Amino acid sequence: MSDNYEKVSLKHASVSKEPELSTITPKSGKYGGQVTDVVQFDVAHNTYKKVGDGYEKNDTEFFRVKVYGDDAKQLAGLVKVGMSLNIDGSKTVETWKDNNGLDKTTNLINANDVALNLSHHRVKSIEFAPKALEAKAEATAKKTMDKPISERAKAEYKPAQKTAGLSK
């Protein structure tokens, strides 16, 4: 892999390969010796050039995207082929040999931010997972509402406390 990194920001990159989740254990550095999740998936990104009053498709670039740490598992379950994503990170070129011993290269983005792009109108719905406390409150409320009124715990009434006004 090249040691040359450049900052990159892709808008409307289309996912072209399902995510693959794995783990790595770095030998050194900040996370040395710690098992870390990593997800990788491929995207295609079209570039355009201005022609007259409009734009014309210029080229399509392909990238392998890697996300490390806590976000990796979540993204592995959410990212699907065909999604339009905005991706920010650092780009480098990964060099490897294929089965025939030929040198191959892949444009690699180590992403620090991946966001769903909603402007393509292909998203049918978005569902947010409730936070742990909200889920617990909802479960408690449901249990309470399932009981007859006579068996529900009475709410404790506390009158609002008066607060002293500030004086100069």
Side-chain angles (χ1 to χ4, degrees):
M1 185 172 353
S2 169
D3 288 335
N4 297 327
Y5 290 92
E6 72 178 83
K7 187 175 179 179
V8 66
S9 183
L10 302 181
K11 304 299 179 205
H12 306 283
S14 182
V15 178
S16 58
K17 182 179 176 190
E18 291 291 337
E20 297 172 8
L21 182 64
S22 60
T23 58
I24 60 169
T25 306
K27 293 179 182 176
S28 62
K30 183 177 177 181
Y31 299 103
Q34 296 179 24
V35 176
T36 304
D37 291 319
V38 59
V39 66
Q40 70 177 19
F41 53 91
D42 293 348
V43 297
H45 181 254
N46 295 324
T47 58
Y48 295 86
K49 63 182 176 183
K50 188 163 176 72
V51 178
D53 291 339
Y55 290 90
E56 181 180 286
K57 184 177 170 186
N58 186 34
D59 194 16
T60 301
E61 295 179 286
F62 297 92
F63 298 91
R64 170 145 306 136
V65 178
K66 290 186 179 182
V67 179
Y68 300 87
D70 296 335
D71 293 335
K73 276 187 183 174
Q74 185 177 19
L75 284 172
L78 295 174
V79 172
K80 303 290 181 217
V81 169
M83 282 184 158
S84 178
L85 302 176
N86 294 343
I87 302 167
D88 293 322
S90 54
K91 179 182 130 183
T92 189
V93 176
E94 189 175 55
T95 305
W96 48 278
K97 291 193 182 290
D98 68 7
N99 293 339
N100 298 322
L102 298 173
D103 287 336
K104 299 288 183 175
T105 59
T106 301
N107 289 319
L108 174 66
I109 297 174
N110 289 313
N112 53 34
D113 189 34
V114 177
L116 178 62
N117 188 306
L118 298 175
S119 66
H120 278 212
H121 310 290
R122 291 183 53 186
V123 177
K124 290 182 184 177
S125 69
I126 297 176
E127 181 179 339
F128 293 95
K131 294 178 186 170
L133 293 177
E134 292 171 344
K136 185 177 179 181
E138 288 175 12
T140 302
K142 182 175 180 351
K143 286 179 187 175
T144 302
M145 297 308 289
D146 289 344
K147 295 179 182 178
I149 292 175
S150 60
E151 293 179 17
R152 293 181 192 168
K154 293 185 179 179
E156 210 177 300
Y157 174 74
K158 291 183 182 179
Q161 294 180 346
K162 292 182 181 178
T163 55
L166 296 175
S167 58
K168 291 184 180 183

